[in-house]
PDB file of all heavy atoms in Angstrom:
ATOM      1  N   GLY K   4     145.980 124.087 141.430  1.00 92.00           N
ATOM      2  CA  GLY K   4     146.728 125.341 141.509  1.00 92.00           C
ATOM      3  C   GLY K   4     147.993 125.204 142.327  1.00 92.00           C
ATOM      4  O   GLY K   4     149.050 125.730 141.968  1.00 92.00           O
ATOM      5  N   THR K   5     147.900 124.487 143.423  1.00 94.00           N
ATOM      6  CA  THR K   5     149.060 124.259 144.278  1.00 94.00           C
ATOM      7  C   THR K   5     150.096 123.405 143.552  1.00 94.00           C
ATOM      8  O   THR K   5     151.298 123.696 143.604  1.00 94.00           O
ATOM      9  CB  THR K   5     148.640 123.581 145.597  1.00 94.00           C
ATOM     10  OG1 THR K   5     147.675 124.404 146.251  1.00 94.00           O
ATOM     11  CG2 THR K   5     149.819 123.351 146.517  1.00 94.00           C
ATOM     12  N   SER K   6     149.642 122.370 142.871  1.00 96.00           N
ATOM     13  CA  SER K   6     150.560 121.505 142.120  1.00 96.00           C
ATOM     14  C   SER K   6     151.276 122.303 141.038  1.00 96.00           C
ATOM     15  O   SER K   6     152.495 122.181 140.864  1.00 96.00           O
ATOM     16  CB  SER K   6     149.800 120.347 141.478  1.00 96.00           C
ATOM     17  OG  SER K   6     149.264 119.496 142.456  1.00 96.00           O
ATOM     18  N   ARG K   7     150.536 123.116 140.303  1.00 97.00           N
ATOM     19  CA  ARG K   7     151.139 123.913 139.233  1.00 97.00           C
ATOM     20  C   ARG K   7     152.170 124.890 139.794  1.00 97.00           C
ATOM     21  O   ARG K   7     153.261 125.043 139.238  1.00 97.00           O
ATOM     22  CB  ARG K   7     150.060 124.637 138.439  1.00 97.00           C
ATOM     23  CG  ARG K   7     149.225 123.708 137.582  1.00 97.00           C
ATOM     24  CD  ARG K   7     148.102 124.432 136.847  1.00 97.00           C
ATOM     25  NE  ARG K   7     147.249 123.504 136.130  1.00 97.00           N
ATOM     26  CZ  ARG K   7     147.530 122.986 134.940  1.00 97.00           C
ATOM     27  NH1 ARG K   7     148.651 123.308 134.332  1.00 97.00           N
ATOM     28  NH2 ARG K   7     146.688 122.145 134.371  1.00 97.00           N
ATOM     29  N   ALA K   8     151.851 125.535 140.908  1.00 97.00           N
ATOM     30  CA  ALA K   8     152.795 126.470 141.530  1.00 97.00           C
ATOM     31  C   ALA K   8     154.047 125.744 142.004  1.00 97.00           C
ATOM     32  O   ALA K   8     155.168 126.250 141.862  1.00 97.00           O
ATOM     33  CB  ALA K   8     152.115 127.196 142.690  1.00 97.00           C
ATOM     34  N   GLN K   9     153.866 124.544 142.547  1.00 98.00           N
ATOM     35  CA  GLN K   9     155.009 123.766 143.020  1.00 98.00           C
ATOM     36  C   GLN K   9     155.896 123.342 141.844  1.00 98.00           C
ATOM     37  O   GLN K   9     157.121 123.364 141.949  1.00 98.00           O
ATOM     38  CB  GLN K   9     154.533 122.561 143.817  1.00 98.00           C
ATOM     39  CG  GLN K   9     155.649 121.845 144.534  1.00 98.00           C
ATOM     40  CD  GLN K   9     155.129 120.800 145.500  1.00 98.00           C
ATOM     41  OE1 GLN K   9     153.929 120.642 145.709  1.00 98.00           O
ATOM     42  NE2 GLN K   9     156.047 120.060 146.095  1.00 98.00           N
ATOM     43  N   VAL K  10     155.288 122.958 140.725  1.00 98.00           N
ATOM     44  CA  VAL K  10     156.071 122.609 139.531  1.00 98.00           C
ATOM     45  C   VAL K  10     156.898 123.823 139.096  1.00 98.00           C
ATOM     46  O   VAL K  10     158.104 123.703 138.841  1.00 98.00           O
ATOM     47  CB  VAL K  10     155.159 122.127 138.378  1.00 98.00           C
ATOM     48  CG1 VAL K  10     155.920 122.101 137.054  1.00 98.00           C
ATOM     49  CG2 VAL K  10     154.585 120.756 138.683  1.00 98.00           C
ATOM     50  N   ARG K  11     156.281 124.994 139.011  1.00 98.00           N
ATOM     51  CA  ARG K  11     157.006 126.204 138.594  1.00 98.00           C
ATOM     52  C   ARG K  11     158.158 126.508 139.548  1.00 98.00           C
ATOM     53  O   ARG K  11     159.254 126.876 139.110  1.00 98.00           O
ATOM     54  CB  ARG K  11     156.051 127.390 138.495  1.00 98.00           C
ATOM     55  CG  ARG K  11     155.099 127.306 137.312  1.00 98.00           C
ATOM     56  CD  ARG K  11     154.344 128.603 137.080  1.00 98.00           C
ATOM     57  NE  ARG K  11     153.546 129.010 138.224  1.00 98.00           N
ATOM     58  CZ  ARG K  11     152.293 128.631 138.464  1.00 98.00           C
ATOM     59  NH1 ARG K  11     151.678 127.802 137.637  1.00 98.00           N
ATOM     60  NH2 ARG K  11     151.654 129.067 139.533  1.00 98.00           N
ATOM     61  N   ARG K  12     157.928 126.320 140.843  1.00 98.00           N
ATOM     62  CA  ARG K  12     158.975 126.575 141.836  1.00 98.00           C
ATOM     63  C   ARG K  12     160.162 125.631 141.621  1.00 98.00           C
ATOM     64  O   ARG K  12     161.315 126.058 141.589  1.00 98.00           O
ATOM     65  CB  ARG K  12     158.414 126.407 143.247  1.00 98.00           C
ATOM     66  CG  ARG K  12     159.450 126.650 144.347  1.00 98.00           C
ATOM     67  CD  ARG K  12     158.894 126.373 145.734  1.00 98.00           C
ATOM     68  NE  ARG K  12     158.356 125.036 145.890  1.00 98.00           N
ATOM     69  CZ  ARG K  12     159.105 123.934 146.091  1.00 98.00           C
ATOM     70  NH1 ARG K  12     160.419 124.016 146.112  1.00 98.00           N
ATOM     71  NH2 ARG K  12     158.532 122.754 146.254  1.00 98.00           N
ATOM     72  N   ILE K  13     159.877 124.340 141.455  1.00 98.00           N
ATOM     73  CA  ILE K  13     160.940 123.343 141.274  1.00 98.00           C
ATOM     74  C   ILE K  13     161.710 123.614 139.987  1.00 98.00           C
ATOM     75  O   ILE K  13     162.942 123.606 139.975  1.00 98.00           O
ATOM     76  CB  ILE K  13     160.348 121.920 141.273  1.00 98.00           C
ATOM     77  CG1 ILE K  13     159.793 121.572 142.654  1.00 98.00           C
ATOM     78  CG2 ILE K  13     161.383 120.896 140.829  1.00 98.00           C
ATOM     79  CD1 ILE K  13     158.935 120.324 142.683  1.00 98.00           C
ATOM     80  N   VAL K  14     160.990 123.841 138.895  1.00 98.00           N
ATOM     81  CA  VAL K  14     161.647 124.092 137.607  1.00 98.00           C
ATOM     82  C   VAL K  14     162.537 125.332 137.706  1.00 98.00           C
ATOM     83  O   VAL K  14     163.673 125.336 137.219  1.00 98.00           O
ATOM     84  CB  VAL K  14     160.602 124.238 136.477  1.00 98.00           C
ATOM     85  CG1 VAL K  14     161.262 124.686 135.182  1.00 98.00           C
ATOM     86  CG2 VAL K  14     159.860 122.918 136.255  1.00 98.00           C
ATOM     87  N   GLY K  15     162.046 126.372 138.352  1.00 98.00           N
ATOM     88  CA  GLY K  15     162.835 127.589 138.512  1.00 98.00           C
ATOM     89  C   GLY K  15     164.062 127.380 139.381  1.00 98.00           C
ATOM     90  O   GLY K  15     165.160 127.846 139.063  1.00 98.00           O
TER      91      GLY K  15
END
Side-chain angles (χ1 to χ4, degrees):
T5 302
S6 295
R7 289 177 185 279
Q9 190 170 356
V10 166
R11 289 191 301 272
R12 180 184 56 79
I13 293 168
V14 172

